[in-house]
Amino acid sequence: MTSDTRTGPPGFGSERDMLRAFLDYHRATLAMKCEGLSDDELRRRSMPPSTLSLLGLVRHMAEVEGAWFRRVFEDNEAPMVWSDEIDFQAAYDASASTREEAFAALEAEVNSRRIEREADSLDRAGHQPRWGKDVSLRMVMVHVLLEYGRHNGHADFLREGVDGTVGA
């Protein structure tokens, strides 16, 4: 990785400000872990037969963003990006993917900023069709934040496997 240009979350702030800042920080962290690598390096699998790669993580997070923000708060029937079914694992196979395609999909699915900004409260309810029940915007933001944290940990090992670098 060449540089760390992320904006760190504030030390103090409202719950909304903190959740928003930490989501943006973790999105930037995943992008930073992919920085400077070719498409081939981004597609490098962790340990075959696993399909896990840095590019697969970017694709997976696009699916997570869409499933948890767009499908819960806007359109319960919205299609997945890489699967005709509700199959988050399909995104991990990035064997024919490119950085441009994966990051464009991720940016298109980052609807949380607008949804959160338009919500009167973090208690705004949306319907999680996979669970068949309503959930709050707060719960969704925390859930997606935890997904990024977990997968950014995976990204450390994937990046180390490509170039020997372990990031923050």
Side-chain angles (χ1 to χ4, degrees), residues 6 25-31 33 54 57 61 145-157 167-168:
R6 298 171 296 171
Y25 180 79
H26 275 282
R27 289 177 184 121
T29 297
L30 183 56
K33 291 177 188 295
L54 283 165
L57 288 178
M61 290 312 299
L145 178 60
L146 292 171
E147 283 275 329
Y148 272 105
R150 180 167 58 110
H151 292 306
N152 281 337
H154 296 147
D156 278 338
F157 293 104

Side-chain angles (χ1 to χ4, degrees), residues 61-161:
M61 290 312 299
E63 292 286 31
V64 167
E65 291 266 5
W68 281 99
F69 288 104
R70 186 167 46 100
R71 293 190 84 213
V72 168
F73 295 104
E74 295 182 330
D75 179 3
N76 291 160
E77 301 300 320
M80 299 290 281
V81 181
W82 286 284
S83 170
D84 292 335
E85 304 165 9
I86 309 300
D87 179 6
F88 288 90
Q89 302 303 311
Y92 284 131
D93 183 2
S95 57
S97 188
T98 64
R99 171 195 307 271
E100 183 179 343
E101 174 223 23
F103 276 98
L106 179 60
E107 190 58 37
E109 293 300 326
V110 175
N111 293 296
S112 63
R113 294 177 184 116
R114 178 183 43 75
I115 290 167
E116 180 269 324
R117 198 173 44 246
E118 292 172 355
D120 292 338
S121 157
L122 291 176
D123 291 326
R124 175 183 174 190
H127 184 73
Q128 174 43 278
R130 287 179 42 227
W131 294 355
K133 67 180 188 177
D134 289 348
V135 295
S136 71
L137 177 57
R138 175 184 295 102
M139 181 267 156
V140 170
M141 290 180 80
V142 168
H143 178 79
V144 173
L145 178 60
L146 292 171
E147 283 275 329
Y148 272 105
R150 180 167 58 110
H151 292 306
N152 281 337
H154 296 147
D156 278 338
F157 293 104
L158 290 164
R159 178 69 190 226
E160 184 178 10

